[in-house]
Amino acid sequence: MISKSCKYAIRACVFVASKVNDDVKVSMKEIANEIEAPVAFTGKILQMLNKRRIITSLKGPYGGFYCEKYQLETPILEIVNAIDGLAVFKECVMGLHQCSDQHPCPMHFEYSKTKEALMKSFSETTIGSLADKLIDGNSYLTNN
Amino acid sequence: MISKSCKYAIRACVFVASKVNDDVKVSMKEIANEIEAPVAFTGKILQMLNKRRIITSLKGPYGGFYCEKYQLETPILEIVNAIDGLAVFKECVMGLHQCSDQHPCPMHFEYSKTKEALMKSFSETTIGSLADKLIDGNSYLTNN
DNA sequence: CTTAAAAAGGATAAAATTGTCTTCTTATGT
DNA sequence: ACATAAGAAGACAATTTTATCCTTTTTAAG
Ligand code: FES
Ligand code: FES
């Protein structure tokens, strides 16, 4: 569905966002530890997210990653777009080069509804709303 | 969403199934050509599908691949299972090792509904029904 | 029985994704 | 200014997925 990198990215964003009220920055290491990903690889992902202004980074001592208020409103769709692109929501299930009502594959009319729904759901869910669920203790970011 | 191999597999099955009334066998080459995949790679995929009895093969001159009547009832889900496994329908969107109501990630309750719906749709759609849509001319297997 | 056509199987290779290591840059406190 | 702590960046390595090539086996027709 979505790539491993993208899953790391979503978890990282939600984790960082969940710290916004504590007004602390979290380091690459802390994030990598939380999301159970290799540190250096986590770094790469955080870099991309920072470039896209999905999270914010600050170098130097006492530096790290954090979310600005406006960034809490970022839809999860933007994370997916930043890491994997939007192909998963647009491509044909059967691999035709174009997915369209005009030249549909046999699964198109059944399947494209689900794709749309999925994309809508990803675009309406914000990083902040997921962080809130975490904070409320209704859900988890780590295994066990 | 699903792998390139799996897309090839679905298209291959539907193509083979669409020939069932003509009572002909189709060769690896013909299939590869139709689904726009490399011949040898198509061979590997057809091999797996044959092993799982999703399609049937016959070696030798006048040999090739075909669908037996009962195979038309095979759900698309079985093709996905044969090539990619069912992980896409079961795994956590955010990458937790287990997806469950007891230990949900923040996206779980929103997302797992869609996953279920998708899996249901894949399990209720048969190879034969897709082949029929092709035959009716309502849909296409090739680009352009 | 021989020949030939086709799929099966195994070994390799290319490309994409995921992961690692080292050096460079920036910010902070003294 | 200096030392240090952190992310940024680039080169490289491992793994997985996709693709190729060659040989073997099976089958049908003559
Ligand atoms: S054309 Fe295949 S899903 Fe739209
Ligand atoms: S736990 Fe993440 S989708 Fe179910």
Side-chain angles (χ1 to χ4, degrees):
Chain A
M1 169 69 74
I2 60 183
S3 71
K4 208 170 174 185
S5 304
C6 192
K7 288 173 184 170
Y8 287 155
I10 299 174
R11 279 165 81 185
C13 289
V14 174
F15 177 57
V16 170
S18 75
K19 301 292 183 190
V20 77
N21 291 319
D22 311 0
D23 202 40
V24 294
K25 298 186 212 40
V26 275
S27 71
M28 232 165 72
K29 262 178 227 169
E30 288 176 89
I31 297 171
N33 186 62
E34 178 76 8
I35 71 176
E36 296 162 295
V39 179
F41 194 62
T42 303
K44 298 293 183 193
I45 290 168
L46 293 170
Q47 234 175 84
M48 289 192 273
L49 294 170
N50 174 57
K51 272 185 201 155
R52 295 282 199 125
R53 306 214 185 283
I54 293 168
I55 58 177
T56 304
S57 81
L58 189 66
K59 285 182 175 182
Y62 301 86
F65 298 86
Y66 60 100
C67 260
E68 299 184 54
K69 281 278 146 52
Y70 81 91
Q71 293 177 319
L72 295 174
E73 304 309 318
T74 309
I76 299 302
L77 191 71
E78 267 199 49
I79 305 176
V80 177
N81 188 27
I83 308 294
D84 284 355
L86 297 181
V88 64
F89 301 114
K90 304 199 160 168
E91 74 193 0
C92 168
V93 216
M94 294 184 66
L96 300 190
H97 296 343
Q98 288 294 323
C99 168
S100 80
D101 290 0
Q102 281 66 51
H103 191 89
C105 73
M107 295 181 78
H108 175 81
F109 290 107
E110 176 73 22
Y111 178 72
S112 56
K113 276 183 287 178
T114 313
K115 269 194 308 185
E116 300 265 330
L118 203 60
M119 180 150 161
K120 184 158 184 288
S121 154
F122 272 68
S123 70
E124 287 172 352
T125 306
T126 65
I127 296 176
S129 71
L130 294 182
D132 288 343
K133 291 193 190 184
L134 252 196
I135 293 166
D136 294 351
N138 301 332
S139 56
Y140 308 87
L141 222 48
T142 52
N143 295 293
N144 313 319
Chain B
M1 170 66 75
I2 61 181
S3 70
K4 206 171 174 185
S5 304
C6 193
K7 288 172 184 171
Y8 288 156
I10 298 174
R11 278 167 82 187
C13 288
V14 174
F15 176 57
V16 169
S18 74
K19 300 292 183 190
V20 75
N21 292 320
D22 311 0
D23 203 41
V24 295
K25 299 187 211 41
V26 275
S27 72
M28 233 165 71
K29 260 177 231 173
E30 288 176 88
I31 297 171
N33 186 62
E34 177 77 8
I35 70 176
E36 295 162 293
V39 179
F41 194 62
T42 302
K44 298 293 184 195
I45 290 168
L46 293 169
Q47 231 176 85
M48 289 192 273
L49 295 170
N50 174 57
K51 273 185 199 152
R52 295 285 198 122
R53 307 216 185 282
I54 293 169
I55 57 176
T56 306
S57 78
L58 189 67
K59 286 183 177 182
Y62 299 86
F65 297 88
Y66 60 100
C67 259
E68 300 183 54
K69 280 280 147 50
Y70 82 92
Q71 293 178 318
L72 295 173
E73 304 309 317
T74 309
I76 300 302
L77 191 70
E78 268 199 49
I79 305 176
V80 177
N81 188 27
I83 308 293
D84 285 354
L86 297 180
V88 64
F89 301 114
K90 304 199 160 166
E91 76 193 0
C92 168
V93 217
M94 295 185 64
L96 300 189
H97 297 343
Q98 288 294 323
C99 168
S100 80
D101 290 359
Q102 280 67 51
H103 191 86
C105 73
M107 295 181 79
H108 175 81
F109 290 107
E110 176 73 21
Y111 178 70
S112 56
K113 276 182 289 177
T114 313
K115 268 193 310 184
E116 300 264 331
L118 203 60
M119 180 150 159
K120 186 158 181 286
S121 154
F122 272 68
S123 71
E124 288 173 351
T125 306
T126 64
I127 296 176
S129 71
L130 295 182
D132 288 343
K133 290 192 191 184
L134 253 197
I135 293 166
D136 294 351
N138 300 332
S139 56
Y140 307 87
L141 221 48
T142 53
N143 294 294
N144 313 317

